[in-house]
Amino acid sequence: MTVHISTKPNRSHIVHGRTSLILPTLGRTGKDDKHPKGAQFLSVEDSMSVVHSTQGRLTPVSEHLLAEPVIVARMAEATFGQDHPVDWKGMADDYDVIRDHIARVLPGFEDFNARVRTRNGFVLPNPPCDTRSFATDIGRGRFTVSPLEYLTPPPGHLVLQTLRSHDQYNATFYGLDDRYRGISGGRRMILIHPEDLAESGFQDRELVNVVSTFQGVDRRADKFRLVAYPTAKGCAAAYFPEANGLVHKENVARVSNTPGFKAMFVRFELHKGGAAVAEVSASGEAAGELEPTPAG
């Protein structure tokens, strides 16, 4: 069984178990005001370790939508019963109850409800920064040295990494432009060094199918545009999530188990109609006049 709590349909809904449930939920922009104690708010932590409140102001698309805390609390109450020691209903009715629990068990969240209501929220503790203290056996930071390793792709292959465009936050992109690299109007492309492009036998802006190989197994992603770009020779780049399908599930880092998004061995095959006019252009240039330039 797979259970999704989702604000909108997405591709993960079609990769599921034999039994699958999709539970629609309020997005962060929707009002969450159907509670015995009135409107509720959530808290978020930003990239600077600052915790602050967030509260939707838009009318939800349906009166039946429930917030995530309510969904989880109701499932827990239905599973464990109303006599369970944890007051699940109390958490669903008043999110302050949840924050009080957090304040009692997580260091740095003391007096959570009062501090999160201040204008700028509060900063979580960072011992190395705050007090120059480290949770090691010697009370100081430890540095390690690892030998430099080079990826050696098979003949006729390049090392492919995935990256984000300017108009992108994590896996969500908001436009087809990438001002970091002077590219606009498209995302299904491979940035490739001009010398690698010439050696591959393809031309700038040709359409290709990309094939990644790992331990003798190939994976494919079709209809990508080759774009001559000053990457490191022997290396190429593509945007994610468009290129995610090229990553083999066994291709992971030895210790962290992180997928090999920066370490794929790829080759190219001409896509039918690959010599068509490009769908991308440099900022300020007409389509078909693409001349990407490095950021900065």
Side-chain angles (χ1 to χ4, degrees), residues 122-245:
F122 61 95
V123 181
L124 292 178
N126 184 348
C129 177
D130 300 338
T131 60
R132 297 294 189 268
S133 57
F134 299 82
T136 64
D137 56 342
I138 59 174
R140 302 177 68 179
R142 287 188 179 276
F143 290 88
T144 59
V145 179
S146 298
L148 184 60
E149 299 182 45
Y150 294 91
L151 295 174
T152 305
H157 291 69
L158 300 175
V159 178
L160 179 72
Q161 66 164 316
T162 60
L163 42 75
R164 290 187 287 190
S165 68
H166 175 268
D167 293 334
Q168 185 171 350
Y169 183 80
N170 293 334
T172 302
F173 60 89
Y174 298 93
L176 299 179
D177 300 339
D178 185 0
R179 55 187 285 199
Y180 290 148
R181 302 170 183 90
I183 293 173
S184 64
R187 289 182 54 85
R188 293 186 70 84
M189 61 185 68
I190 303 291
L191 306 183
I192 178 174
H193 192 281
E195 293 182 20
D196 290 325
L197 183 62
E199 292 173 4
S200 71
F202 293 100
Q203 297 181 10
D204 186 23
R205 290 174 290 170
E206 274 194 306
L207 278 176
V208 297
N209 301 328
V210 187
V211 182
S212 70
T213 183
F214 183 78
Q215 296 181 350
V217 178
D218 288 347
R219 293 185 65 85
R220 304 177 61 88
D222 293 342
K223 200 175 181 181
F224 276 72
R225 182 80 62 186
L226 290 175
V227 177
Y229 190 88
T231 63
K233 194 173 185 312
C235 299
Y239 298 121
F240 74 84
E242 287 83 357
N244 282 3

Side-chain angles (χ1 to χ4, degrees), residues 1-293:
M1 171 185 277
T2 53
V3 181
H4 300 267
I5 300 179
S6 305
T7 59
K8 58 183 68 66
N10 63 76
R11 284 184 61 87
S12 65
H13 296 152
I14 63 174
V15 183
H16 53 76
R18 185 172 295 128
T19 300
S20 180
L21 299 177
I22 301 175
L23 307 179
T25 186
L26 282 174
R28 280 175 51 190
T29 57
K31 293 180 181 178
D32 186 12
D33 54 6
K34 295 181 179 180
H35 295 265
K37 293 191 176 182
Q40 300 294 306
F41 69 89
L42 301 173
S43 62
V44 294
E45 177 190 350
D46 65 20
S47 300
M48 301 297 106
S49 298
V50 178
V51 178
H52 57 85
S53 63
T54 176
Q55 189 169 29
R57 304 185 184 281
L58 302 180
T59 301
V61 296
S62 170
E63 61 179 349
H64 302 293
L65 286 176
L66 300 175
E68 288 181 84
V70 176
I71 293 174
V72 174
R74 288 189 180 184
M75 286 194 296
E77 185 177 30
T79 301
F80 298 116
Q82 296 181 352
D83 296 331
H84 192 263
V86 177
D87 184 9
W88 300 108
K89 186 176 185 304
M91 293 184 183
D93 291 343
D94 184 1
Y95 299 168
D96 279 359
V97 176
I98 302 174
R99 284 184 283 268
D100 283 339
H101 283 292
I102 294 173
R104 284 193 290 270
V105 297
L106 287 183
F109 282 87
E110 296 81 5
D111 203 16
F112 191 1
N113 273 309
R115 296 162 69 203
V116 77
R117 284 176 165 84
T118 59
R119 180 178 179 181
N120 297 318
F122 61 95
V123 181
L124 292 178
N126 184 348
C129 177
D130 300 338
T131 60
R132 297 294 189 268
S133 57
F134 299 82
T136 64
D137 56 342
I138 59 174
R140 302 177 68 179
R142 287 188 179 276
F143 290 88
T144 59
V145 179
S146 298
L148 184 60
E149 299 182 45
Y150 294 91
L151 295 174
T152 305
H157 291 69
L158 300 175
V159 178
L160 179 72
Q161 66 164 316
T162 60
L163 42 75
R164 290 187 287 190
S165 68
H166 175 268
D167 293 334
Q168 185 171 350
Y169 183 80
N170 293 334
T172 302
F173 60 89
Y174 298 93
L176 299 179
D177 300 339
D178 185 0
R179 55 187 285 199
Y180 290 148
R181 302 170 183 90
I183 293 173
S184 64
R187 289 182 54 85
R188 293 186 70 84
M189 61 185 68
I190 303 291
L191 306 183
I192 178 174
H193 192 281
E195 293 182 20
D196 290 325
L197 183 62
E199 292 173 4
S200 71
F202 293 100
Q203 297 181 10
D204 186 23
R205 290 174 290 170
E206 274 194 306
L207 278 176
V208 297
N209 301 328
V210 187
V211 182
S212 70
T213 183
F214 183 78
Q215 296 181 350
V217 178
D218 288 347
R219 293 185 65 85
R220 304 177 61 88
D222 293 342
K223 200 175 181 181
F224 276 72
R225 182 80 62 186
L226 290 175
V227 177
Y229 190 88
T231 63
K233 194 173 185 312
C235 299
Y239 298 121
F240 74 84
E242 287 83 357
N244 282 3
L246 294 168
V247 185
H248 294 248
K249 66 179 182 179
E250 293 87 6
N251 183 6
V252 297
R254 286 190 295 268
V255 178
S256 68
N257 205 40
T258 303
F261 291 117
K262 308 291 185 184
M264 290 174 278
F265 297 155
V266 299
R267 66 181 187 273
F268 309 117
E269 300 173 352
L270 184 65
H271 181 79
K272 184 178 180 181
V277 176
E279 300 174 356
V280 294
S281 65
S283 300
E285 301 285 347
E289 299 293 332
L290 179 60
E291 295 181 0
T293 55

